[in-house]
Amino acid sequence: MVWISPPKMSIEWLVAWSWSLDGLRDCIASGIQSVRDCDTSAVVTVACLLVLFVWYCYHVGREQPRPYVSVNSLIQGADANGLQNGYVYCQSPECMRCTHSEGLNQKLYHNLQEYAKRYSWSGMGRIHKGIREQGRYLNSRPSIQKPEVFFLPDLPTTPYFPRDAQKHDVEVLERNFQTILCEFETLYKAFSNCSLPQGWKMNSTPSGEWFTFYLVNQGVCVPRNCRKCPRTYRLLGSLRTCIGNNVFGNACISVLSPGTVITEHYGPTNIRIRCHLGLKTPSGCELVVGGEPQCWAEGRCLLFDDSFLHTASHGGLAEDGPRVVFMVDLWHPNVAAAERQALDFIFAPGR
């Protein structure tokens, strides 16, 4: 019988395989020894951090969105002695006009963040800048223009605006002058039966009497009043720049009796321009904005920035009758469409 020796290659392979097992065994042993030599406190620290990270991820994942700030509750303060005039300081901590604090700015910034999450930060540069530095802006403004609540930086500044600033809306209002006047005259007949008919508000003044009849008050429709002036209310829907969904938006009939003087005051913001359509304008009536006097004219619109120091007066005789204007708040023409949308969100009534 012939003995056949195993191939040389098979022996070499077995030796190499044995060497590989030895290397693997050494590697595992080395790893175990490394774990044994590791500092126990370091392992505990890493474990704690890992647990905290897992807990944080769980907490954030189940957290519900925070509610929006009720801007409307901030801007609508309590009446002072039953009289509402929109600029007498009521000293209420819930009134936006009376609250100038970093807390308010933080709430507004939160609303801006919520808007940006839903839509975009694009075009929000001025609003972001305004909210971030609101305290500095309000405190450093010259006394001629000091909006009491919100200042949007980098807007052109002027007490009065030309009619072309909001040409479409001015033309719509002036074309409907007779319609608005007729509905006012129907309303005003109720004054012969009582001193203050339902729906009218009396505002405090140092002399005389100042009445307002709101269709939209700080962005909120007043249904009972709108039903009494249906054509005028429908007219608001045809205006392109009327501020209708924002606490800075108003639409009302404003009446000054002879001998009335409205104390100098500032409006809450510079993002709007106030439009007065003259309905009844006796001689001796005057509007002064930023130190510049102007007179109303029947059937004509007068546009001004009420964030400037301003006052109105009726120096006529009793037989001249009241001065009457239809007042509507329109967007400042240099506030961009994206900014209007964001500001409507931030200052939405009831949010």
Side-chain angles (χ1 to χ4, degrees), residues 168-184 231-232 234-236 238-239 277-279 299-301 326:
H168 175 271
D169 290 352
V170 165
E171 291 178 347
V172 169
L173 290 168
E174 292 181 350
R175 279 200 308 268
N176 290 272
F177 160 69
Q178 287 294 338
T179 297
I180 301 172
L181 178 62
C182 287
E183 291 195 330
F184 158 71
R231 290 179 294 175
T232 302
R234 285 196 297 270
L235 182 64
L236 294 176
S238 63
L239 302 180
L277 172 66
L279 300 182
R300 302 280 287 181
C301 288
F326 180 59

Side-chain angles (χ1 to χ4, degrees), residues 39-52:
D39 184 10
T40 304
S41 61
V43 174
V44 173
T45 301
V46 172
C48 290
L49 290 175
L50 181 60
V51 171
L52 287 173

Side-chain angles (χ1 to χ4, degrees), residues 66-72 74 96 104-119 121 127 131 342-348 351:
R66 289 175 290 178
Y68 293 114
V69 179
S70 181
V71 177
N72 192 48
L74 292 173
M96 182 178 286
L104 174 60
N105 293 340
Q106 291 172 4
K107 292 174 182 178
L108 296 181
Y109 188 71
H110 169 68
N111 281 3
L112 173 61
Q113 288 180 311
E114 291 294 336
Y115 173 83
K117 288 178 183 177
R118 291 192 180 192
Y119 303 100
W121 278 104
I127 297 178
I131 293 177
L343 290 167
D344 277 346
F345 185 93
I346 295 169
F347 292 102
R351 175 165 293 143

Side-chain angles (χ1 to χ4, degrees), residues 3-321:
W3 172 259
I4 302 175
S5 62
K8 183 178 180 181
M9 185 171 208
S10 298
I11 296 174
E12 292 175 352
W13 182 81
L14 288 173
V15 171
W17 182 70
S18 176
W19 176 257
S20 298
L21 289 178
D22 291 340
L24 179 61
R25 184 176 63 252
D26 292 343
C27 181
I28 293 174
S30 177
I32 294 173
Q33 187 62 37
S34 297
V35 172
R36 289 175 177 173
D37 294 341
C38 184
D39 184 10
T40 304
S41 61
V43 174
V44 173
T45 301
V46 172
C48 290
L49 290 175
L50 181 60
V51 171
L52 287 173
F53 176 73
V54 172
W55 174 86
Y56 174 78
C57 292
Y58 170 76
H59 178 74
V60 171
R62 69 188 295 271
E63 185 182 31
Q64 297 296 322
R66 289 175 290 178
Y68 293 114
V69 179
S70 181
V71 177
N72 192 48
S73 66
L74 292 173
I75 200 171
Q76 292 182 347
D79 301 343
N81 300 322
L83 302 177
Q84 298 183 356
N85 60 9
Y87 65 87
V88 166
Y89 293 99
C90 64
Q91 306 302 322
S92 169
E94 298 301 317
C95 177
M96 182 178 286
R97 285 180 178 268
C98 301
T99 306
H100 303 290
S101 66
E102 288 302 316
L104 174 60
N105 293 340
Q106 291 172 4
K107 292 174 182 178
L108 296 181
Y109 188 71
H110 169 68
N111 281 3
L112 173 61
Q113 288 180 311
E114 291 294 336
Y115 173 83
K117 288 178 183 177
R118 291 192 180 192
Y119 303 100
S120 171
W121 278 104
S122 178
M124 298 299 103
R126 283 197 300 193
I127 297 178
H128 180 260
K129 178 181 177 182
I131 293 177
R132 188 181 66 240
E133 303 183 46
Q134 196 62 202
R136 180 175 68 83
Y137 284 128
L138 295 180
N139 293 329
S140 64
R141 293 297 304 166
S143 59
I144 197 68
Q145 184 193 27
K146 275 186 176 290
E148 296 182 336
V149 178
F150 179 73
F151 179 79
L152 185 64
D154 306 324
L155 284 181
T157 299
T158 180
Y160 293 96
F161 285 80
R163 294 159 44 81
D164 288 346
Q166 298 296 4
K167 183 177 181 181
H168 175 271
D169 290 352
V170 165
E171 291 178 347
V172 169
L173 290 168
E174 292 181 350
R175 279 200 308 268
N176 290 272
F177 160 69
Q178 287 294 338
T179 297
I180 301 172
L181 178 62
C182 287
E183 291 195 330
F184 158 71
E185 289 177 337
T186 301
L187 281 175
Y188 201 63
K189 290 177 182 177
F191 275 90
S192 61
N193 299 323
C194 61
S195 58
L196 188 65
Q198 189 178 53
W200 288 86
K201 293 183 182 296
M202 178 181 290
N203 307 282
S204 67
T205 57
S207 62
E209 295 177 326
W210 173 24
F211 304 100
T212 47
F213 187 85
Y214 279 92
L215 303 183
V216 178
N217 187 9
Q218 295 181 349
V220 179
C221 172
V222 184
R224 180 178 296 176
N225 289 359
C226 292
R227 286 193 290 268
K228 294 180 181 179
C229 299
R231 290 179 294 175
T232 302
Y233 176 66
R234 285 196 297 270
L235 182 64
L236 294 176
S238 63
L239 302 180
R240 294 176 180 173
T241 62
C242 178
I243 304 179
N245 301 306
N246 190 309
V247 293
F248 296 131
N250 302 273
C252 73
I253 296 172
S254 176
V255 178
L256 296 185
S257 63
T260 300
V261 176
I262 299 176
T263 306
E264 287 185 328
H265 62 287
Y266 303 97
T269 182
N270 66 328
I271 66 173
R272 72 187 187 190
I273 57 176
R274 182 149 280 185
C275 176
H276 282 183
L277 172 66
L279 300 182
K280 290 183 175 293
T281 59
S283 60
C285 297
E286 187 177 65
L287 173 68
V288 181
V289 182
E292 300 180 21
Q294 291 277 356
C295 296
W296 296 275
E298 293 182 4
R300 302 280 287 181
C301 288
L302 184 60
L303 306 179
F304 65 99
D305 184 344
D306 73 326
S307 67
F308 281 80
L309 187 66
H310 64 285
T311 182
S313 61
H314 184 351
L317 303 175
E319 53 267 27
D320 293 335

